[in-house]
Amino acid sequence: MPKGVRAAARVRAAVALAAALLAAACGATREDVMQVEASSRDQHAELRQSLAGLQQSIEQLTAALRQLRADLDARLDEVNNRMGIVESLMRDNEQMFQRFQTRLQQAQERQRQVEQADTLGVAPAPEAGDSATRAAPDTSRRAAGAPPRAEIPSEIDLYNAALEDYQAGRFDLALNGFREYLRLYPDGTSPDNAQFWIGRIQLDQQQYEAAARELERLLATYPETDKAAQATFYLGSAYRALGNEERARAYYRQVIERYPTSQESQLARRELER
């Protein structure tokens, strides 16, 4: 019983005793004293009952607050997850734009060299992996009467279509799209991003072993990728879901140590506190 309640009970008892003594001093009968004592006991019983009801209400309120906190944490995790996806998609678009700009500048420089070589009457040596060389039409097949090849989607169209499928929840289509992107454009502008989304989609589908395998492949193949912090954090999530808590916590610590200013670093700290 709280101290304040005990003090109130002692006060009530003292008042009842004083009333009994006063009644005795005034010539009250024994029956009067017994009535006072009975009334005091009734008051004590009523007080104890009220306190018990109050204690039960406090316990119920505490349980409700705990549940509310758990629900809010779950909703916050979901919001953070969605925000992380949106930010990743925005960074993807910005990164692809920047990489295409770089490609354009390289192509313009290459064109300038070709024009300069033509002016001097010297044929420039082809660069390794020159996109123009790879894109040259196959005239031998056409001359032989072979049917034309199916049109290959452009790099940006294929990548954006896979992203749209992912955003719409068409995970199987998105997974196939990113894999097709890697097959057709292994040296394109965003193979690291495509590899990341393959692992992320499998994580969303609760294919945790496959997700861990694909994300680890991303970090091994593209160690300088902009997706490194996210991939490392999601590896922690995948291994926690697999029940490997030690490895999960190791990846969370890596996020904090290697990418301390990233949003994933804050999320990793929360995961380590659980």
Side-chain angles (χ1 to χ4, degrees):
M1 182 180 298
K3 292 182 178 179
V5 175
R6 288 199 298 269
R10 286 196 294 269
V11 169
R12 288 177 179 274
V15 170
L17 179 59
L21 292 175
L22 181 61
C26 294
T29 64
R30 180 177 178 79
E31 288 75 10
D32 293 333
V33 174
M34 292 179 64
Q35 287 180 359
V36 171
E37 292 177 349
S39 176
S40 178
R41 285 195 298 271
D42 290 342
Q43 291 177 354
H44 289 166
E46 182 180 351
L47 179 61
R48 284 194 296 269
Q49 185 176 3
S50 298
L51 289 173
L54 180 60
Q55 182 66 30
Q56 185 179 6
S57 298
I58 291 174
E59 291 175 355
Q60 291 174 349
L61 180 59
T62 302
L65 289 173
R66 288 199 190 101
Q67 184 61 45
L68 178 60
R69 177 62 183 272
D71 292 342
L72 288 175
D73 286 344
R75 289 179 180 273
L76 181 60
D77 288 343
E78 183 178 355
V79 170
N80 286 333
N81 183 44
R82 290 296 175 187
M83 288 181 60
I85 292 173
V86 172
E87 289 176 359
S88 292
L89 295 174
M90 292 176 61
R91 286 198 295 263
D92 272 13
N93 289 330
E94 292 174 359
Q95 188 181 81
M96 179 169 278
F97 176 75
Q98 292 171 355
R99 291 178 179 180
F100 267 109
Q101 275 192 320
T102 301
R103 287 283 184 91
L104 177 60
Q105 292 171 357
Q106 292 173 346
Q108 290 173 341
E109 176 63 21
R110 177 64 176 163
Q111 180 65 25
R112 187 190 64 79
Q113 293 175 358
V114 170
E115 292 174 353
Q116 185 178 11
D118 287 343
T119 302
L120 298 175
V122 179
E127 294 182 356
D130 193 304
S131 59
T133 302
R134 293 199 305 269
D138 188 354
T139 56
S140 61
R141 289 174 55 85
R142 294 183 183 178
R149 295 180 180 178
E151 183 178 354
I152 297 176
S154 70
E155 177 183 353
I156 192 167
D157 286 345
L158 181 57
Y159 187 88
N160 284 341
L163 276 183
E164 289 175 4
D165 285 331
Y166 176 74
Q167 287 179 284
R170 298 186 292 265
F171 292 149
D172 289 338
L173 288 176
L175 194 61
N176 290 336
F178 286 120
R179 284 174 172 162
E180 184 70 359
Y181 176 90
L182 287 177
R183 186 182 72 82
L184 293 176
Y185 301 102
D187 299 320
T189 58
S190 301
D192 56 331
N193 291 345
Q195 181 66 45
F196 167 81
W197 287 112
I198 289 173
R200 176 57 202 258
I201 290 169
Q202 290 176 324
L203 187 66
D204 289 338
Q205 293 180 316
Q206 299 182 354
Q207 299 173 0
Y208 301 119
E209 290 184 0
R213 184 169 57 250
E214 296 294 348
L215 292 171
E216 286 174 340
R217 180 178 299 165
L218 165 68
L219 296 177
T221 308
Y222 308 100
E224 302 301 322
T225 177
D226 293 340
K227 291 287 194 292
Q230 294 179 72
T232 306
F233 176 80
Y234 288 136
L235 275 167
S237 301
Y239 278 109
R240 173 165 282 179
L242 289 169
N244 192 335
E245 186 65 19
E246 181 178 356
R247 197 161 186 179
R249 296 179 73 83
Y251 275 117
Y252 290 141
R253 285 192 291 268
Q254 281 187 31
V255 176
I256 296 170
E257 293 169 2
R258 297 181 183 179
Y259 317 103
T261 60
S262 67
Q263 180 183 0
E264 288 73 25
S265 175
Q266 299 177 13
L267 298 176
R269 293 180 190 279
R270 287 184 54 196
E271 293 299 325
L272 287 174
E273 292 174 357
R274 293 187 177 182

